Amino acid sequence: MGKFILRRFLTMIVTVWVIITLTFILMHAIPGSPFDSERTTNEAVTRNLMAHYNLDQPKYVQYVTYLKSLIQLDLGPSITHTETVNEIITRAFPVSFFLGAVALGFAIISGIALGVMAALRHNGMIDHMAMIISVIGISIPNFILATLLIQYVAVEWGLLPVATWGTWKHVILPALALSTGPLAIIARLTRSNMLDVLTQDYIRTAKAKGLAPATIILKHALRNALMPVVTVLGTLLAGVLTGTFVIEKIFAIPGMGKYFVTGINHRDYPVIMGTTIFYSVILVIMMFLVDIAYGLLDPRIKLHKKEE
């Protein structure tokens, strides 16, 4: 296990470095500069701004300087805001994280419960309803669902606030909009795998021994049925985190999405690169944790050294 963790750690470092490099190249490949939209004819001011943000240096010098700053955990100053990127992330990320955590938690709990009930009532009304919900959840983009929730739940029915952030009521609509897609995927995976697991010999043996149905479902069947669900959690997490950018913009939530979208519109290189790198590190770490959880859920999976 120690060797596996070390190998995965080195792989994560290389992966993050590749993401940093590609992001730097793509950002600086865009024609123009962040100051092209400035309403000034004073070239001296523009040159001073370029020098202040180290944008007047050759690209390889900027790249090396940026890597040195990253080693010191310094993501640099924002071009369009008075704060540094570190300060922006420190203030805005907890909002995005909380929203994403609520959405993903709701999707996991509801998706697993819906999938299990559909499998236990195969070809029944609950099964058909679960599949209809899954198809709707996968088919409708979260920004379309967000618009519908605002129009009907918030505006016409007046049940919840339209936008902004502050109380638990402000979390419900954006969390629902974010969770429908992952919920549908988890429900379908859980259902299909539960149907397969329930036909296995060890389930028949457990029933023959007279074990309680709840024990058979929770202790024996569900544990093995969750293996594919755990596998896709890393991808679902990526979708939820990146999806918060659009949802936060729609619901006027003061999270990372607000600054990321503003950074793109104003070519704020430090904000875009800092946000991308920050989320990349989180996703790479989550993928590593998923690998560990995969092994814990199924004791039959062992980490062997490859035979030469």
Side-chain angles (χ1 to χ4, degrees):
M1 180 63 74
K3 292 182 179 179
F4 170 75
I5 293 176
L6 179 60
R7 288 196 302 268
R8 292 291 288 122
F9 178 76
L10 295 176
T11 302
M12 288 190 294
I13 296 298
V14 174
T15 302
V16 172
W17 172 74
V18 171
I19 293 173
I20 293 171
T21 304
L22 290 178
T23 305
F24 182 88
I25 293 173
L26 292 175
M27 283 302 306
H28 288 80
I30 301 175
S33 74
F35 308 109
D36 288 346
S37 60
E38 293 291 332
R39 296 182 177 180
T40 177
T41 56
N42 193 334
E43 295 183 2
V45 173
T46 303
R47 286 197 301 269
N48 290 335
L49 289 172
M50 296 286 287
H52 177 73
Y53 292 103
N54 198 37
L55 297 176
D56 60 338
Q57 300 293 325
K59 294 298 186 292
Y60 72 90
V61 175
Q62 296 182 43
Y63 176 70
V64 173
T65 303
Y66 191 69
L67 286 181
K68 291 179 179 178
S69 299
L70 289 179
I71 294 175
Q72 300 173 1
L73 302 180
D74 181 10
L75 297 174
S78 170
I79 296 176
T80 56
H81 302 280
T82 58
E83 303 169 292
T84 65
V85 179
N86 293 61
E87 292 172 342
I88 291 175
I89 292 177
T90 301
R91 180 166 48 81
F93 177 69
V95 176
S96 298
F97 177 79
F98 179 75
L99 175 59
V102 171
L104 190 59
F106 177 76
I108 293 174
I109 296 173
S110 302
I112 291 176
L114 191 62
V116 171
M117 289 189 296
L120 295 178
R121 298 292 185 269
H122 184 47
N123 288 330
M125 181 178 296
I126 295 179
D127 188 17
H128 295 314
M129 289 298 298
M131 290 303 96
I132 292 174
I133 294 174
S134 297
V135 171
I136 294 175
I138 294 175
S139 303
I140 301 179
N142 56 22
F143 59 88
I144 297 294
L145 181 59
T147 305
L148 294 175
L149 290 174
I150 291 175
Q151 176 63 32
Y152 292 100
V153 179
V155 177
E156 294 192 7
W157 301 341
L159 298 178
L160 293 169
V162 177
T164 67
W165 192 257
T167 66
W168 62 270
K169 293 182 179 180
H170 295 87
V171 183
I172 296 177
L173 292 185
L176 283 176
L178 275 174
S179 64
T180 51
L183 188 155
I185 295 173
I186 292 172
R188 291 178 67 89
L189 279 175
T190 304
R191 173 186 177 274
S192 61
N193 285 281
M194 279 292 293
L195 289 174
D196 180 64
V197 168
L198 290 175
T199 61
Q200 298 299 315
D201 292 337
Y202 67 89
I203 297 296
R204 297 193 185 97
T205 302
K207 291 180 179 179
K209 289 182 178 180
L211 295 179
T215 302
I216 295 174
I217 298 300
L218 298 177
K219 186 176 180 180
H220 298 283
L222 185 58
R223 181 173 182 177
N224 292 318
L226 288 181
M227 295 295 296
V229 176
V230 174
T231 305
V232 301
L233 280 182
T235 304
L236 293 179
L237 175 64
V240 169
L241 287 179
T242 53
T244 59
F245 290 166
V246 178
I247 297 301
E248 287 173 11
K249 189 68 175 178
I250 294 175
F251 286 93
I253 297 174
M256 294 291 292
K258 168 185 175 182
Y259 296 96
F260 187 76
V261 174
T262 303
I264 293 176
N265 292 334
H266 295 87
R267 294 181 182 176
D268 194 336
Y269 297 155
V271 169
I272 298 174
M273 293 183 61
T275 304
T276 303
I277 294 168
F278 181 74
Y279 273 101
S280 299
V281 171
I282 293 177
L283 295 179
V284 169
I285 293 175
M286 289 304 301
M287 294 299 293
F288 170 72
L289 295 178
V290 166
D291 290 341
I292 299 298
Y294 199 85
L296 293 176
L297 277 176
D298 192 347
R300 295 171 297 178
I301 298 177
K302 302 296 180 181
L303 300 173
H304 294 289
K305 183 178 180 181
K306 292 182 179 180
E307 296 182 1
E308 297 181 358

